[in-house]
Amino acid sequence: MFVYKTFGVCSRKITFEITDGILHNVRFVGGCNGNTQGVSRLCEGMEAETVIERLRGVDCGGRGTSCPDQLARAVRSALDGTCETC
């Protein structure tokens, strides 16, 4: 289980698992409940690299990031082994 502390968004952290390159059990703590549930469900069972490609760079209100972008960053960090909060 990976735990990623978010920044610049309403959600406070994201938890998830990666098994054989596939993303599972994505959960956001905080944030816009309906949107984060939707992102979590859409990403379930997807290849981690695909999640990164699709979500990286999504912006929320000019913040330069978003909950989906934070998930992409978290997954990249987990795959690279650089996730400081994992």
Side-chain angles (χ1 to χ4, degrees):
M1 173 79 66
F2 294 99
V3 178
Y4 183 83
K5 185 175 181 194
T6 60
F7 62 92
V9 296
C10 299
S11 65
R12 294 181 302 282
K13 72 178 175 180
I14 306 168
T15 62
F16 59 97
E17 297 174 22
I18 300 174
T19 305
D20 297 326
I22 305 297
L23 196 61
H24 297 286
N25 301 315
V26 176
R27 301 285 182 265
F28 287 82
V29 176
C32 302
N33 190 39
N35 290 333
T36 56
Q37 280 187 61
V39 169
S40 297
R41 290 180 186 188
L42 288 169
C43 292
E44 177 64 32
M46 287 181 70
E47 290 187 22
E49 291 290 348
T50 301
V51 170
I52 294 166
E53 290 170 16
R54 290 185 181 180
L55 300 182
R56 183 180 52 217
V58 172
D59 183 67
C60 180
R63 295 179 180 180
T65 190
S66 65
C67 290
D69 179 63
Q70 288 292 294
L71 177 58
R73 293 176 190 213
V75 173
R76 171 54 49 211
S77 293
L79 293 177
D80 290 348
T82 60
C83 187
E84 295 175 11
T85 59
C86 297

PDB file of all heavy atoms in Angstrom, residues 9-38:
ATOM      1  N   VAL A   9      -3.905  20.933  -3.495  1.00  0.00           N
ATOM      2  CA  VAL A   9      -5.272  20.502  -3.803  1.00  0.00           C
ATOM      3  C   VAL A   9      -6.066  20.332  -2.511  1.00  0.00           C
ATOM      4  O   VAL A   9      -5.509  20.371  -1.424  1.00  0.00           O
ATOM      5  CB  VAL A   9      -5.293  19.179  -4.615  1.00  0.00           C
ATOM      6  CG1 VAL A   9      -4.649  19.375  -5.973  1.00  0.00           C
ATOM      7  CG2 VAL A   9      -4.618  18.060  -3.854  1.00  0.00           C
ATOM      8  N   CYS A  10      -7.363  20.115  -2.661  1.00  0.00           N
ATOM      9  CA  CYS A  10      -8.240  19.951  -1.494  1.00  0.00           C
ATOM     10  C   CYS A  10      -8.038  18.615  -0.785  1.00  0.00           C
ATOM     11  O   CYS A  10      -8.181  18.533   0.431  1.00  0.00           O
ATOM     12  CB  CYS A  10      -9.699  20.084  -1.916  1.00  0.00           C
ATOM     13  SG  CYS A  10     -10.106  21.698  -2.617  1.00  0.00           S
ATOM     14  N   SER A  11      -7.730  17.566  -1.547  1.00  0.00           N
ATOM     15  CA  SER A  11      -7.494  16.269  -0.892  1.00  0.00           C
ATOM     16  C   SER A  11      -6.187  16.335  -0.115  1.00  0.00           C
ATOM     17  O   SER A  11      -5.289  17.099  -0.456  1.00  0.00           O
ATOM     18  CB  SER A  11      -7.462  15.138  -1.917  1.00  0.00           C
ATOM     19  OG  SER A  11      -6.378  15.276  -2.789  1.00  0.00           O
ATOM     20  N   ARG A  12      -6.102  15.539   0.948  1.00  0.00           N
ATOM     21  CA  ARG A  12      -4.916  15.569   1.801  1.00  0.00           C
ATOM     22  C   ARG A  12      -3.932  14.442   1.520  1.00  0.00           C
ATOM     23  O   ARG A  12      -2.738  14.578   1.731  1.00  0.00           O
ATOM     24  CB  ARG A  12      -5.342  15.529   3.267  1.00  0.00           C
ATOM     25  CG  ARG A  12      -6.103  16.772   3.685  1.00  0.00           C
ATOM     26  CD  ARG A  12      -6.509  16.761   5.139  1.00  0.00           C
ATOM     27  NE  ARG A  12      -7.335  15.628   5.546  1.00  0.00           N
ATOM     28  CZ  ARG A  12      -8.648  15.508   5.311  1.00  0.00           C
ATOM     29  NH1 ARG A  12      -9.280  16.431   4.635  1.00  0.00           N
ATOM     30  NH2 ARG A  12      -9.315  14.453   5.744  1.00  0.00           N
ATOM     31  N   LYS A  13      -4.465  13.309   1.083  1.00  0.00           N
ATOM     32  CA  LYS A  13      -3.584  12.195   0.742  1.00  0.00           C
ATOM     33  C   LYS A  13      -4.311  11.224  -0.171  1.00  0.00           C
ATOM     34  O   LYS A  13      -5.537  11.254  -0.287  1.00  0.00           O
ATOM     35  CB  LYS A  13      -3.044  11.489   1.979  1.00  0.00           C
ATOM     36  CG  LYS A  13      -4.047  10.665   2.741  1.00  0.00           C
ATOM     37  CD  LYS A  13      -3.371   9.972   3.936  1.00  0.00           C
ATOM     38  CE  LYS A  13      -4.404   9.234   4.764  1.00  0.00           C
ATOM     39  NZ  LYS A  13      -3.801   8.555   5.908  1.00  0.00           N
ATOM     40  N   ILE A  14      -3.516  10.369  -0.796  1.00  0.00           N
ATOM     41  CA  ILE A  14      -4.028   9.329  -1.682  1.00  0.00           C
ATOM     42  C   ILE A  14      -3.383   8.020  -1.267  1.00  0.00           C
ATOM     43  O   ILE A  14      -2.173   7.959  -1.065  1.00  0.00           O
ATOM     44  CB  ILE A  14      -3.675   9.617  -3.157  1.00  0.00           C
ATOM     45  CG1 ILE A  14      -4.135  11.007  -3.581  1.00  0.00           C
ATOM     46  CG2 ILE A  14      -4.277   8.546  -4.068  1.00  0.00           C
ATOM     47  CD1 ILE A  14      -3.565  11.458  -4.921  1.00  0.00           C
ATOM     48  N   THR A  15      -4.190   6.982  -1.148  1.00  0.00           N
ATOM     49  CA  THR A  15      -3.655   5.646  -0.910  1.00  0.00           C
ATOM     50  C   THR A  15      -4.000   4.782  -2.116  1.00  0.00           C
ATOM     51  O   THR A  15      -5.038   4.974  -2.751  1.00  0.00           O
ATOM     52  CB  THR A  15      -4.233   5.009   0.370  1.00  0.00           C
ATOM     53  OG1 THR A  15      -5.645   4.861   0.238  1.00  0.00           O
ATOM     54  CG2 THR A  15      -3.905   5.857   1.597  1.00  0.00           C
ATOM     55  N   PHE A  16      -3.102   3.850  -2.425  1.00  0.00           N
ATOM     56  CA  PHE A  16      -3.319   2.979  -3.580  1.00  0.00           C
ATOM     57  C   PHE A  16      -2.358   1.805  -3.525  1.00  0.00           C
ATOM     58  O   PHE A  16      -1.399   1.810  -2.746  1.00  0.00           O
ATOM     59  CB  PHE A  16      -3.136   3.750  -4.891  1.00  0.00           C
ATOM     60  CG  PHE A  16      -1.777   4.373  -5.059  1.00  0.00           C
ATOM     61  CD1 PHE A  16      -0.786   3.745  -5.787  1.00  0.00           C
ATOM     62  CD2 PHE A  16      -1.495   5.599  -4.486  1.00  0.00           C
ATOM     63  CE1 PHE A  16       0.474   4.322  -5.938  1.00  0.00           C
ATOM     64  CE2 PHE A  16      -0.250   6.187  -4.633  1.00  0.00           C
ATOM     65  CZ  PHE A  16       0.737   5.552  -5.364  1.00  0.00           C
ATOM     66  N   GLU A  17      -2.626   0.823  -4.372  1.00  0.00           N
ATOM     67  CA  GLU A  17      -1.758  -0.336  -4.522  1.00  0.00           C
ATOM     68  C   GLU A  17      -1.414  -0.491  -5.997  1.00  0.00           C
ATOM     69  O   GLU A  17      -2.215  -0.137  -6.862  1.00  0.00           O
ATOM     70  CB  GLU A  17      -2.455  -1.603  -4.032  1.00  0.00           C
ATOM     71  CG  GLU A  17      -2.795  -1.572  -2.556  1.00  0.00           C
ATOM     72  CD  GLU A  17      -3.621  -2.771  -2.115  1.00  0.00           C
ATOM     73  OE1 GLU A  17      -3.591  -3.816  -2.797  1.00  0.00           O
ATOM     74  OE2 GLU A  17      -4.296  -2.644  -1.084  1.00  0.00           O
ATOM     75  N   ILE A  18      -0.237  -1.026  -6.252  1.00  0.00           N
ATOM     76  CA  ILE A  18       0.168  -1.384  -7.613  1.00  0.00           C
ATOM     77  C   ILE A  18       0.630  -2.827  -7.567  1.00  0.00           C
ATOM     78  O   ILE A  18       1.545  -3.171  -6.813  1.00  0.00           O
ATOM     79  CB  ILE A  18       1.300  -0.486  -8.140  1.00  0.00           C
ATOM     80  CG1 ILE A  18       0.860   0.978  -8.169  1.00  0.00           C
ATOM     81  CG2 ILE A  18       1.747  -0.950  -9.536  1.00  0.00           C
ATOM     82  CD1 ILE A  18       1.953   1.953  -8.546  1.00  0.00           C
ATOM     83  N   THR A  19      -0.039  -3.665  -8.346  1.00  0.00           N
ATOM     84  CA  THR A  19       0.309  -5.082  -8.420  1.00  0.00           C
ATOM     85  C   THR A  19       0.579  -5.424  -9.875  1.00  0.00           C
ATOM     86  O   THR A  19      -0.312  -5.263 -10.720  1.00  0.00           O
ATOM     87  CB  THR A  19      -0.842  -5.956  -7.886  1.00  0.00           C
ATOM     88  OG1 THR A  19      -1.182  -5.520  -6.559  1.00  0.00           O
ATOM     89  CG2 THR A  19      -0.452  -7.421  -7.853  1.00  0.00           C
ATOM     90  N   ASP A  20       1.798  -5.862 -10.161  1.00  0.00           N
ATOM     91  CA  ASP A  20       2.191  -6.215 -11.526  1.00  0.00           C
ATOM     92  C   ASP A  20       1.878  -5.092 -12.516  1.00  0.00           C
ATOM     93  O   ASP A  20       1.392  -5.328 -13.616  1.00  0.00           O
ATOM     94  CB  ASP A  20       1.509  -7.515 -11.976  1.00  0.00           C
ATOM     95  CG  ASP A  20       1.915  -8.706 -11.128  1.00  0.00           C
ATOM     96  OD1 ASP A  20       3.085  -8.741 -10.677  1.00  0.00           O
ATOM     97  OD2 ASP A  20       1.071  -9.589 -10.905  1.00  0.00           O
ATOM     98  N   GLY A  21       2.118  -3.851 -12.080  1.00  0.00           N
ATOM     99  CA  GLY A  21       1.924  -2.695 -12.955  1.00  0.00           C
ATOM    100  C   GLY A  21       0.492  -2.232 -13.084  1.00  0.00           C
ATOM    101  O   GLY A  21       0.192  -1.325 -13.863  1.00  0.00           O
ATOM    102  N   ILE A  22      -0.421  -2.820 -12.308  1.00  0.00           N
ATOM    103  CA  ILE A  22      -1.842  -2.475 -12.380  1.00  0.00           C
ATOM    104  C   ILE A  22      -2.256  -1.747 -11.101  1.00  0.00           C
ATOM    105  O   ILE A  22      -1.918  -2.174  -9.991  1.00  0.00           O
ATOM    106  CB  ILE A  22      -2.710  -3.739 -12.563  1.00  0.00           C
ATOM    107  CG1 ILE A  22      -2.257  -4.547 -13.791  1.00  0.00           C
ATOM    108  CG2 ILE A  22      -4.190  -3.381 -12.645  1.00  0.00           C
ATOM    109  CD1 ILE A  22      -2.395  -3.818 -15.116  1.00  0.00           C
ATOM    110  N   LEU A  23      -3.008  -0.672 -11.249  1.00  0.00           N
ATOM    111  CA  LEU A  23      -3.441   0.150 -10.123  1.00  0.00           C
ATOM    112  C   LEU A  23      -4.716  -0.413  -9.486  1.00  0.00           C
ATOM    113  O   LEU A  23      -5.656  -0.795 -10.185  1.00  0.00           O
ATOM    114  CB  LEU A  23      -3.709   1.570 -10.628  1.00  0.00           C
ATOM    115  CG  LEU A  23      -3.805   2.683  -9.615  1.00  0.00           C
ATOM    116  CD1 LEU A  23      -2.510   2.827  -8.830  1.00  0.00           C
ATOM    117  CD2 LEU A  23      -4.143   3.986 -10.311  1.00  0.00           C
ATOM    118  N   HIS A  24      -4.718  -0.451  -8.150  1.00  0.00           N
ATOM    119  CA  HIS A  24      -5.861  -0.966  -7.396  1.00  0.00           C
ATOM    120  C   HIS A  24      -6.103  -0.128  -6.148  1.00  0.00           C
ATOM    121  O   HIS A  24      -5.184   0.490  -5.609  1.00  0.00           O
ATOM    122  CB  HIS A  24      -5.615  -2.411  -6.935  1.00  0.00           C
ATOM    123  CG  HIS A  24      -5.459  -3.385  -8.046  1.00  0.00           C
ATOM    124  ND1 HIS A  24      -6.520  -3.821  -8.807  1.00  0.00           N
ATOM    125  CD2 HIS A  24      -4.358  -3.999  -8.536  1.00  0.00           C
ATOM    126  CE1 HIS A  24      -6.079  -4.676  -9.717  1.00  0.00           C
ATOM    127  NE2 HIS A  24      -4.769  -4.795  -9.572  1.00  0.00           N
ATOM    128  N   ASN A  25      -7.349  -0.164  -5.684  1.00  0.00           N
ATOM    129  CA  ASN A  25      -7.735   0.395  -4.380  1.00  0.00           C
ATOM    130  C   ASN A  25      -7.321   1.844  -4.174  1.00  0.00           C
ATOM    131  O   ASN A  25      -6.800   2.210  -3.124  1.00  0.00           O
ATOM    132  CB  ASN A  25      -7.195  -0.480  -3.243  1.00  0.00           C
ATOM    133  CG  ASN A  25      -7.705  -1.894  -3.340  1.00  0.00           C
ATOM    134  OD1 ASN A  25      -8.890  -2.118  -3.581  1.00  0.00           O
ATOM    135  ND2 ASN A  25      -6.821  -2.863  -3.191  1.00  0.00           N
ATOM    136  N   VAL A  26      -7.562   2.680  -5.173  1.00  0.00           N
ATOM    137  CA  VAL A  26      -7.242   4.104  -5.057  1.00  0.00           C
ATOM    138  C   VAL A  26      -8.272   4.759  -4.151  1.00  0.00           C
ATOM    139  O   VAL A  26      -9.477   4.606  -4.342  1.00  0.00           O
ATOM    140  CB  VAL A  26      -7.256   4.798  -6.434  1.00  0.00           C
ATOM    141  CG1 VAL A  26      -7.011   6.294  -6.282  1.00  0.00           C
ATOM    142  CG2 VAL A  26      -6.241   4.170  -7.368  1.00  0.00           C
ATOM    143  N   ARG A  27      -7.794   5.484  -3.149  1.00  0.00           N
ATOM    144  CA  ARG A  27      -8.663   6.202  -2.225  1.00  0.00           C
ATOM    145  C   ARG A  27      -8.066   7.589  -1.969  1.00  0.00           C
ATOM    146  O   ARG A  27      -6.887   7.710  -1.654  1.00  0.00           O
ATOM    147  CB  ARG A  27      -8.785   5.480  -0.880  1.00  0.00           C
ATOM    148  CG  ARG A  27      -9.316   4.083  -0.961  1.00  0.00           C
ATOM    149  CD  ARG A  27     -10.810   4.038  -1.212  1.00  0.00           C
ATOM    150  NE  ARG A  27     -11.294   2.670  -1.239  1.00  0.00           N
ATOM    151  CZ  ARG A  27     -11.451   1.949  -2.338  1.00  0.00           C
ATOM    152  NH1 ARG A  27     -11.125   2.448  -3.505  1.00  0.00           N
ATOM    153  NH2 ARG A  27     -11.912   0.716  -2.288  1.00  0.00           N
ATOM    154  N   PHE A  28      -8.899   8.598  -2.083  1.00  0.00           N
ATOM    155  CA  PHE A  28      -8.505   9.964  -1.753  1.00  0.00           C
ATOM    156  C   PHE A  28      -9.059  10.293  -0.378  1.00  0.00           C
ATOM    157  O   PHE A  28     -10.190   9.930  -0.056  1.00  0.00           O
ATOM    158  CB  PHE A  28      -9.108  10.958  -2.753  1.00  0.00           C
ATOM    159  CG  PHE A  28      -8.476  10.932  -4.115  1.00  0.00           C
ATOM    160  CD1 PHE A  28      -8.843   9.986  -5.052  1.00  0.00           C
ATOM    161  CD2 PHE A  28      -7.519  11.874  -4.466  1.00  0.00           C
ATOM    162  CE1 PHE A  28      -8.281   9.962  -6.317  1.00  0.00           C
ATOM    163  CE2 PHE A  28      -6.948  11.862  -5.724  1.00  0.00           C
ATOM    164  CZ  PHE A  28      -7.325  10.912  -6.654  1.00  0.00           C
ATOM    165  N   VAL A  29      -8.294  11.002   0.423  1.00  0.00           N
ATOM    166  CA  VAL A  29      -8.759  11.503   1.711  1.00  0.00           C
ATOM    167  C   VAL A  29      -8.968  12.998   1.531  1.00  0.00           C
ATOM    168  O   VAL A  29      -8.024  13.734   1.233  1.00  0.00           O
ATOM    169  CB  VAL A  29      -7.735  11.228   2.840  1.00  0.00           C
ATOM    170  CG1 VAL A  29      -8.203  11.854   4.143  1.00  0.00           C
ATOM    171  CG2 VAL A  29      -7.514   9.729   2.989  1.00  0.00           C
ATOM    172  N   GLY A  30     -10.212  13.429   1.665  1.00  0.00           N
ATOM    173  CA  GLY A  30     -10.557  14.820   1.435  1.00  0.00           C
ATOM    174  C   GLY A  30     -10.817  15.058  -0.046  1.00  0.00           C
ATOM    175  O   GLY A  30     -10.851  14.135  -0.850  1.00  0.00           O
ATOM    176  N   GLY A  31     -11.013  16.302  -0.388  1.00  0.00           N
ATOM    177  CA  GLY A  31     -11.279  16.651  -1.774  1.00  0.00           C
ATOM    178  C   GLY A  31     -12.753  16.579  -2.103  1.00  0.00           C
ATOM    179  O   GLY A  31     -13.601  16.376  -1.232  1.00  0.00           O
ATOM    180  N   CYS A  32     -13.073  16.746  -3.359  1.00  0.00           N
ATOM    181  CA  CYS A  32     -14.459  16.698  -3.839  1.00  0.00           C
ATOM    182  C   CYS A  32     -14.877  15.237  -3.941  1.00  0.00           C
ATOM    183  O   CYS A  32     -14.445  14.534  -4.861  1.00  0.00           O
ATOM    184  CB  CYS A  32     -14.574  17.380  -5.193  1.00  0.00           C
ATOM    185  SG  CYS A  32     -14.023  19.094  -5.179  1.00  0.00           S
ATOM    186  N   ASN A  33     -15.682  14.798  -3.015  1.00  0.00           N
ATOM    187  CA  ASN A  33     -15.983  13.383  -2.846  1.00  0.00           C
ATOM    188  C   ASN A  33     -16.444  12.701  -4.132  1.00  0.00           C
ATOM    189  O   ASN A  33     -15.948  11.635  -4.491  1.00  0.00           O
ATOM    190  CB  ASN A  33     -17.019  13.192  -1.739  1.00  0.00           C
ATOM    191  CG  ASN A  33     -17.185  11.755  -1.352  1.00  0.00           C
ATOM    192  OD1 ASN A  33     -16.226  11.000  -1.293  1.00  0.00           O
ATOM    193  ND2 ASN A  33     -18.400  11.360  -1.084  1.00  0.00           N
ATOM    194  N   GLY A  34     -17.390  13.279  -4.830  1.00  0.00           N
ATOM    195  CA  GLY A  34     -17.894  12.650  -6.053  1.00  0.00           C
ATOM    196  C   GLY A  34     -16.821  12.543  -7.120  1.00  0.00           C
ATOM    197  O   GLY A  34     -16.681  11.500  -7.771  1.00  0.00           O
ATOM    198  N   ASN A  35     -16.056  13.604  -7.299  1.00  0.00           N
ATOM    199  CA  ASN A  35     -15.004  13.586  -8.318  1.00  0.00           C
ATOM    200  C   ASN A  35     -13.899  12.595  -7.986  1.00  0.00           C
ATOM    201  O   ASN A  35     -13.442  11.850  -8.855  1.00  0.00           O
ATOM    202  CB  ASN A  35     -14.409  14.986  -8.494  1.00  0.00           C
ATOM    203  CG  ASN A  35     -15.374  15.933  -9.152  1.00  0.00           C
ATOM    204  OD1 ASN A  35     -16.257  15.531  -9.911  1.00  0.00           O
ATOM    205  ND2 ASN A  35     -15.224  17.214  -8.867  1.00  0.00           N
ATOM    206  N   THR A  36     -13.476  12.586  -6.736  1.00  0.00           N
ATOM    207  CA  THR A  36     -12.392  11.673  -6.382  1.00  0.00           C
ATOM    208  C   THR A  36     -12.843  10.216  -6.420  1.00  0.00           C
ATOM    209  O   THR A  36     -12.068   9.342  -6.796  1.00  0.00           O
ATOM    210  CB  THR A  36     -11.779  12.024  -5.015  1.00  0.00           C
ATOM    211  OG1 THR A  36     -12.795  12.025  -4.017  1.00  0.00           O
ATOM    212  CG2 THR A  36     -11.088  13.387  -5.054  1.00  0.00           C
ATOM    213  N   GLN A  37     -14.113   9.969  -6.073  1.00  0.00           N
ATOM    214  CA  GLN A  37     -14.632   8.599  -6.205  1.00  0.00           C
ATOM    215  C   GLN A  37     -14.660   8.181  -7.669  1.00  0.00           C
ATOM    216  O   GLN A  37     -14.330   7.039  -8.005  1.00  0.00           O
ATOM    217  CB  GLN A  37     -16.047   8.500  -5.643  1.00  0.00           C
ATOM    218  CG  GLN A  37     -16.122   8.380  -4.156  1.00  0.00           C
ATOM    219  CD  GLN A  37     -17.548   8.125  -3.722  1.00  0.00           C
ATOM    220  OE1 GLN A  37     -18.139   7.116  -4.107  1.00  0.00           O
ATOM    221  NE2 GLN A  37     -18.102   9.033  -2.934  1.00  0.00           N
ATOM    222  N   GLY A  38     -15.055   9.115  -8.529  1.00  0.00           N
ATOM    223  CA  GLY A  38     -15.095   8.821  -9.962  1.00  0.00           C
ATOM    224  C   GLY A  38     -13.726   8.505 -10.515  1.00  0.00           C
ATOM    225  O   GLY A  38     -13.543   7.522 -11.252  1.00  0.00           O
TER     226      GLY A  38
END
